[in-house]
């Protein structure tokens, strides 16, 4: 539940007395039309953006975070093409709403590094610190690009400049930006600090989307607006609500009941218990490309579009920013599904068809079984899709006859033999076994090592790999709740799920690892083919569970990728 509970009425009054901009992160009301985020597009190969991150406390105790441009636009879409230069100047306007209590607990920078004033070397991680992670991009894990281990920007700092080029070979698709301050990622992302980054050109890769209008839809979660409301009368009676170790509504296995968090779509809230849907208008039976980002801190999605309660076809064309035909093989590049599972941090891009004139479809998320130790992610509406002849067109529309992208010269990842196989596992430990809802430590451990929470002071990698190679990682889940594995700087291919081969000739950067039911003879696992061939993967970066309260709680590891010409040292970090 974070530090919100610490805030008193006197603190609210103090915030108002300081004149903090309570209209800075204004959110639409429930049931509103879904607005389009502002599009900031590169020009002549460059995009310069000035962003400020803000936070403040609402009267009900909830905390809002947002990014704004100089003219007040909130969380804009950053649109660039491969090869473009992004210059992003980030100003930290955060207030430490915890009065330093949480900040002291997570402080891990010594005096020498915090007093030198260099955000690249600070490592200071408090409730008022921030930085940026460019999720999914294959850019170097260094300061001013995509370092989240040492880069930390404080409110007193001048605007901090992120400056890098989108790689020329970056797949066209949906990526995103968000803070990655260890110990405080959940609070900032849950409060709304996130935005879409779009690498242009998907119509050059997937001919089926040429000429279509496109929508960027960012689904976020937030603390419940009506936490004490009884369930809707339209829901069946469910078991008595239980609270999980994180203070949220626990999974009850029914698909109904109080959710752990509310959802919003482009900041339009869809609150419990009645879930009044937001509104999306489309021209009758119009085809569009929807680019959907699950920017939730902890909530899993299982997306469907219903017409007369029947699921409608969704034409998946890209996953986690990568077109499905990135493998270079011939065949259909649209994968028609009726529902799409999207873990926190993941993205799906799919073709939809609007309803006939005078009718309405419903955009929903179905329940997700997060395990007996997980949060409750029930069935609920997100938006109603209304057919209207006067519906406004989305601002962005793909070229009708784009020039096709040249084929990649690199061998397809699935055809490259791995140099080794590693085993890792998720696990959890109650600090006091006599208190089932007490504090918990979260781990992701390389097999053979001792489970310990991530220590940002250590700097010692759990894994050492070599650039230019490919590895297979088997990731197990030894806990009784669902986890979402994510790694920075690269994509991977899912080879096996629950020990069975899968036919997925496409890439991901985030994947669910099923929970352990306590009865199976083997722990649930996934087998992933990890791609370290790109020189931009050289450096030290992280892998973790993308449920951010788990990441903040220690479920993160460190990998160092060394240049291909160097001899990888023999150490306990390598498995045979």
């Amino acid at each position: 539940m974070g530090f919100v509970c610490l805030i008193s009425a006197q603190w609210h009054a103090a915030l108002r007395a300081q004149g903090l901009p309570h209209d800075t992160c204004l959110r639409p009301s429930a049931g509103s039309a879904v607005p389009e985020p502002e599009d900031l597009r590169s020009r002549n190969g460059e995009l310069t953006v000035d962003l400020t991150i803000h936070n403040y406390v609402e009267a009900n105790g909830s905390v809002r975070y947002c990014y704004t441009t100089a003219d007040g636009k909130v969380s804009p879409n950053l649109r660039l093409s491969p090869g473009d230069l992004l210059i992003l100047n980030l100003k930290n306007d955060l207030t430490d709403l915890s009065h330093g209590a949480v900040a002291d607990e997570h402080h891990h920078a010594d005096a020498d590094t915090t007093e030198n004033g260099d955000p690249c070397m600070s490592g200071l991680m408090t409730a008022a610190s921030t930085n940026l992670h460019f999720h999914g991009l294959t850019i170097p894990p260094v300061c001013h690009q995509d370092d989240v281990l040492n880069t930390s920007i404080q409110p007193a700092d001048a605007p901090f400049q992120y400056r890098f080029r989108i790689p020329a070979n970056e797949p066209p698709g949906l990526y995103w930006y968000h803070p990655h301050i260890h110990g405080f990622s959940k609070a900032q992302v849950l409060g709304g600090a996130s935005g879409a980054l779009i690498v242009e050109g998907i119509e050059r890769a997937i001919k089926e989307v040429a000429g279509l209008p496109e929508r960027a839809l960012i689904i976020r979660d937030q603390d419940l607006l009506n936490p004490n409301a009884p369930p809707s009368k339209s829901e069946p009676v469910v078991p008595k609500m239980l609270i999980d170790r994180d203070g949220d509504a626990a999974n009850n296995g029914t698909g109904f009941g109080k959710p752990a968090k509310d959802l919003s779509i482009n900041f339009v809230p869809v609150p419990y218990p009645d879930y009044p849907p937001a509104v999306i208008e489309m021209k009758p039976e119009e085809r569009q490309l929807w680019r959907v980002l699950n920017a939730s801190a902890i909530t899993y999605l299982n997306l469907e579009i219903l017409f007369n309660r029947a699921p409608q076809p969704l034409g998946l064309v890209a996953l986690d920013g990568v077109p499905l035909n990135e493998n270079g093989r011939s065949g259909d590049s649209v994968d028609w599904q009726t529902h799409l599972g999207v873990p926190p941090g993941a993205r799906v891009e799919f073709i939809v068809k609007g309803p006939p004139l005078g009718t309405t479809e419903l955009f929903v998320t179905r329940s997700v079984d997060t395990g007996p130790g997980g949060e409750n992610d029930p069935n609920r509406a997100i938006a109603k899709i209304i057919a209207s002849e006067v519906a406004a067109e989305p601002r962005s529309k793909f070229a009708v006859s784009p020039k096709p992208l040249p084929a990649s010269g690199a061998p397809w990842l699935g055809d490259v033999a791995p140099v080794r196989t590693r085993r890792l596992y998720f696990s959890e430990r109650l600090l006091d076994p006599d208190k089932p809802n007490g504090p918990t430590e979260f781990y992701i451990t390389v097999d053979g090592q001792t489970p310990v929470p991530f220590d940002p002071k250590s700097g010692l990698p759990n894994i050492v790999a070599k650039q230019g190679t490919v590895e297979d990682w088997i990731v197990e889940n030894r806990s009784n709740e669902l986890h979402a594995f994510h790694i920075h700087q690269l994509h991977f291919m899912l080879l096996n799920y629950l020990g069975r081969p899968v036919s997925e000739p496409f890439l991901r950067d985030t994947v669910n690892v099923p929970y352990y039911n306590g009865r199976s003879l083997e722990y649930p696992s996934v087998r992933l083919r990890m791609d370290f061939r790109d020189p931009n993967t050289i450096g030290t970066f992280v892998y973790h569970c993308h449920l951010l309260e788990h990441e903040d709680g220690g479920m993160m590891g460190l990998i160092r990728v060394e240049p291909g010409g160097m001899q990888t040292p023999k150490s306990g970090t390598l498995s045979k």
Side-chain angles (χ1 to χ4, degrees), residues 106-326:
H106 290 277
H107 186 292
H108 67 263
D110 59 40
D112 290 340
T113 57
T114 58
E115 290 177 1
N116 65 17
D118 184 358
C120 287
M121 301 297 293
S122 168
L124 179 63
M125 299 197 179
T126 74
S129 307
T130 198
N131 59 16
L132 279 177
H133 170 46
F134 298 93
H135 185 124
L137 291 182
T138 307
I139 55 177
V142 298
C143 193
H144 300 288
Q145 297 198 49
D146 196 36
D147 165 60
V148 300
L149 293 167
N150 298 302
T151 303
S152 181
I153 307 159
Q154 310 311 314
D157 292 341
F160 181 84
Q161 186 170 99
Y162 286 89
R163 184 185 183 98
F164 58 85
R165 289 195 180 276
I166 304 297
N169 62 347
E170 192 75 74
L174 178 60
Y175 302 81
W176 63 300
Y177 58 93
H178 65 84
H180 209 291
I181 290 289
H182 184 60
F184 303 93
S185 296
K186 176 192 170 185
Q188 296 188 16
V189 172
L190 186 68
S194 57
L197 189 154
I198 296 169
V199 176
E200 305 279 23
I202 194 171
E203 75 279 12
R204 300 179 60 197
I206 306 287
K207 62 182 180 181
E208 287 83 354
V209 307
L212 296 185
E214 60 165 309
R215 293 181 185 268
L217 300 172
I218 298 108
I219 298 176
R220 300 173 173 92
D221 59 4
Q222 61 185 49
D223 287 324
L224 297 178
L225 292 177
N226 308 305
N228 300 317
S232 171
K233 293 181 179 180
S234 63
E235 286 198 354
V237 176
V238 299
K240 182 181 178 181
M241 189 194 74
L242 299 176
I243 300 297
D244 73 358
R245 297 173 186 174
D246 306 304
D248 297 314
N251 179 30
N252 60 35
T254 68
F256 297 95
K258 181 183 292 188
K261 302 295 178 189
D262 278 336
L263 294 177
S264 68
I265 178 169
N266 289 5
F267 287 122
V268 179
V270 189
Y272 167 83
D274 296 317
Y275 308 119
V279 176
I280 297 174
E281 284 197 346
M282 295 176 64
K283 294 195 182 318
E285 301 185 76
E286 180 182 44
R287 297 169 80 244
Q288 295 182 357
L289 181 74
W290 284 13
R291 319 184 93 151
V292 179
L293 157 63
N294 184 0
S296 298
I298 68 168
T299 304
Y300 295 89
L301 302 175
N302 184 11
L303 301 176
E304 282 187 345
I305 291 179
L306 302 176
F307 180 56
N308 291 333
R309 298 190 176 182
Q312 299 302 292
L314 307 175
L316 183 69
V317 300
L319 190 67
D320 290 350
V322 183
L324 298 191
N325 63 359
E326 179 76 5

Side-chain angles (χ1 to χ4, degrees), residues 253-457:
T254 68
F256 297 95
K258 181 183 292 188
K261 302 295 178 189
D262 278 336
L263 294 177
S264 68
I265 178 169
N266 289 5
F267 287 122
V268 179
V270 189
Y272 167 83
D274 296 317
Y275 308 119
V279 176
I280 297 174
E281 284 197 346
M282 295 176 64
K283 294 195 182 318
E285 301 185 76
E286 180 182 44
R287 297 169 80 244
Q288 295 182 357
L289 181 74
W290 284 13
R291 319 184 93 151
V292 179
L293 157 63
N294 184 0
S296 298
I298 68 168
T299 304
Y300 295 89
L301 302 175
N302 184 11
L303 301 176
E304 282 187 345
I305 291 179
L306 302 176
F307 180 56
N308 291 333
R309 298 190 176 182
Q312 299 302 292
L314 307 175
L316 183 69
V317 300
L319 190 67
D320 290 350
V322 183
L324 298 191
N325 63 359
E326 179 76 5
N327 54 40
R329 298 175 182 175
S330 60
D332 198 353
S333 54
V334 180
D335 185 7
W336 290 97
Q337 303 282 341
T338 56
H339 66 96
L340 297 170
V342 194
R347 290 86 66 212
V348 286
E349 299 173 68
F350 53 92
I351 298 170
V352 300
K353 183 179 178 181
L357 184 64
T359 61
T360 298
E361 293 177 334
L362 200 59
F363 185 37
V364 305
T365 179
R366 292 297 193 188
S367 65
V368 177
D369 182 5
T370 62
E375 284 84 12
N376 200 36
D377 292 341
N379 302 297
R380 45 187 150 167
I382 298 174
K384 57 184 177 183
I385 307 165
I386 300 174
S388 169
E389 291 181 329
V390 296
E393 286 285 349
R395 284 197 300 263
S396 295
K397 189 172 184 177
F398 297 114
V400 175
S401 301
K403 181 180 178 181
L405 281 178
S408 171
W412 167 240
L413 179 60
D415 297 333
V416 180
V419 298
R420 64 176 55 84
T421 298
R422 305 182 192 268
R423 289 183 175 271
L424 301 84
Y425 59 92
F426 290 114
S427 63
E428 305 175 9
R429 184 176 72 90
L430 266 175
L431 296 184
D432 185 348
D434 295 329
K435 296 181 179 179
N437 291 329
T440 303
E441 285 186 341
F442 298 91
Y443 317 115
I444 182 169
T445 308
V446 177
D447 197 27
Q449 299 179 9
T450 301
V452 293
F454 176 72
D455 180 4
K457 293 183 295 185

Side-chain angles (χ1 to χ4, degrees), residues 78-89:
L78 309 182
R79 291 179 172 269
L80 303 101
S81 295
D84 283 353
L85 176 66
L86 174 63
I87 302 172
L88 192 156
N89 301 304

